[in-house]
Amino acid sequence: MVTLTEVWSAYLAALRVKAPITVESLRPPRELADLQDIERATTPWPDDLREFFLLHDGQHLWVGDRLAGTLLLDSELLSLEDMQFERSSWLESPHAIDDLGDEWPAQIAAQQAGETAHLFLPEYVPIAKDGAGGLCYIDTRPGPKQSCVRFFSADAADEGGPAYGGLADYLDALRTSVESETEFDGVVPTFDDGALVWELDRSDWPPALQLPDPVVLRLPFEPVEFRPSQWTADDDVIDLDVVRRTVVDTARALYPGSAVDDDARLYTGTFRDCAGRT
């Protein structure tokens, strides 16, 4: 049976060829005593989670002046301290949900790993976070699916269920995707100057609509300077803002795809009536 450490080593070997900057972003692992202290301060860890944190202590977002990319799917690996911070933050404000009823705490207590609790539980251990504040975490609750990899977000909580059976499955799937440069879970691995960047898979998107080059329409209004003090009761005053909006809206309706210049300075002035009055 392949161990988590062996899967991790194989993944890093693939990344060293295609994304060495991402590998360089990894922080060295901490001492076993540090892990034991933090485990005691959180929740009992399964063996593979303990092994995982013995392989690294998260990653830097930058290597020098370059973005490092991410080993996991668009998610930054967390250090031990970052893991504790994220876990504590979510436990303080588990999730903004409707009232689940007085019996719900007892139902959660009877659940096993992989089941939906609709809130963040003490048994959830984050390992990475994405740019939107969501987490990749390990469900340490007992049961056949203990150690499954799951995702938590502010809008959906833990409703997605297990994404992968364990860390070894997740890392091996990532390695396969990177080596073959093929789609994985809706994204594809790309390599930006030595950094692994996950991009949306657009291979099955319809081709973009080819629009003609925009045509700039310039409206031939000659501005006429005036001062409000020059108005008299005999003047016919026209609201040029209304005129401008009407002309611009009409031009855009008649010529879709064209760029209609909507510069208010082109319409500042007055109109003259038939008698030549301003």
Side-chain angles (χ1 to χ4, degrees), residues 72-88:
L72 304 188
L73 289 185
D74 201 24
S75 297
E76 171 196 356
L77 277 175
L78 298 174
S79 67
L80 289 174
E81 282 77 13
D82 290 339
M83 178 272 289
Q84 283 185 292
F85 175 81
E86 294 293 335
R87 179 177 174 275
S88 298

Side-chain angles (χ1 to χ4, degrees), residues 17 84 109 152 174 191 199 217 235 251:
V17 175
Q84 283 185 292
F152 195 96
L174 290 167
F191 308 97
E199 300 282 358
L217 303 180
D235 288 332

Side-chain angles (χ1 to χ4, degrees), residues 111-133:
Q111 288 181 341
Q112 294 186 329
E115 296 188 68
T116 299
H118 297 293
L119 73 165
F120 194 88
L121 300 178
E123 294 85 1
Y124 293 171
V125 179
I127 62 171
K129 67 175 180 179
D130 62 28

Side-chain angles (χ1 to χ4, degrees), residues 228-237 273 277-278:
S229 60
Q230 294 176 315
W231 292 357
T232 69
D234 296 327
D235 288 332
D236 295 323
V237 180
D273 63 14
R277 295 175 298 181
T278 299

Side-chain angles (χ1 to χ4, degrees), residues 255-273:
Y255 301 96
S258 299
V260 180
D261 196 335
D262 190 15
D263 189 342
R265 292 172 299 178
L266 297 178
Y267 317 106
T268 302
T270 60
F271 280 69
R272 298 180 185 275
D273 63 14

Side-chain angles (χ1 to χ4, degrees), residues 4-270:
L4 176 62
T5 299
E6 291 171 332
V7 173
W8 174 263
S9 298
Y11 185 30
L12 292 192
L15 288 176
R16 287 190 183 95
V17 175
K18 298 187 176 185
I21 296 299
T22 304
V23 177
E24 189 180 346
S25 73
L26 287 171
R27 298 185 183 96
R30 302 278 286 278
E31 298 293 332
L32 177 59
D34 294 337
L35 268 71
Q36 293 171 335
D37 289 342
I38 291 178
E39 180 178 352
R40 282 191 290 267
T42 54
T43 189
W45 296 354
D47 290 341
D48 60 344
L49 179 58
R50 193 177 301 111
E51 183 180 356
F52 183 68
F53 277 119
L54 281 170
L55 296 170
H56 67 88
D57 188 37
Q59 68 173 124
H60 299 287
L61 286 177
W62 295 81
V63 174
D65 60 350
R66 300 162 66 182
L67 280 171
T70 58
L71 284 85
L72 304 188
L73 289 185
D74 201 24
S75 297
E76 171 196 356
L77 277 175
L78 298 174
S79 67
L80 289 174
E81 282 77 13
D82 290 339
M83 178 272 289
Q84 283 185 292
F85 175 81
E86 294 293 335
R87 179 177 174 275
S88 298
S89 297
W90 278 103
L91 288 174
E92 291 172 2
S93 302
H95 193 54
I97 56 175
D98 295 331
D99 185 9
L100 297 172
D102 295 337
E103 74 284 356
W104 191 243
Q107 294 185 30
I108 292 176
Q111 288 181 341
Q112 294 186 329
E115 296 188 68
T116 299
H118 297 293
L119 73 165
F120 194 88
L121 300 178
E123 294 85 1
Y124 293 171
V125 179
I127 62 171
K129 67 175 180 179
D130 62 28
L135 298 175
C136 174
Y137 69 95
I138 304 302
D139 190 342
T140 69
R141 291 178 293 177
K145 296 182 180 179
Q146 186 184 48
S147 294
C148 61
V149 179
R150 304 181 65 181
F151 296 95
F152 195 96
S153 65
D155 57 345
D158 60 348
E159 293 177 359
Y164 306 96
L167 282 163
D169 294 338
Y170 186 23
L171 293 172
D172 196 51
L174 290 167
R175 177 194 59 78
T176 300
S177 177
V178 167
E179 288 182 340
S180 61
E181 299 186 21
T182 54
E183 180 270 341
F184 177 63
D185 202 16
V187 294
V188 290
T190 64
F191 308 97
D192 182 10
D193 197 19
L196 173 59
V197 179
W198 299 93
E199 300 282 358
L200 283 176
D201 178 24
R202 296 182 171 88
S203 60
D204 59 349
W205 288 23
L209 180 64
Q210 297 297 317
L211 297 175
D213 293 336
V215 177
V216 177
L217 303 180
R218 298 194 177 278
L219 306 178
F221 288 144
E222 186 68 30
V224 177
E225 298 294 337
F226 69 96
R227 293 190 301 275
S229 60
Q230 294 176 315
W231 292 357
T232 69
D234 296 327
D235 288 332
D236 295 323
V237 180
I238 299 175
D239 189 337
L240 292 184
D241 283 336
V242 174
V243 173
R244 176 176 62 83
R245 287 195 301 268
T246 301
V247 172
V248 169
D249 292 344
T250 302
R252 287 172 175 165
L254 292 175
Y255 301 96
S258 299
V260 180
D261 196 335
D262 190 15
D263 189 342
R265 292 172 299 178
L266 297 178
Y267 317 106
T268 302
T270 60

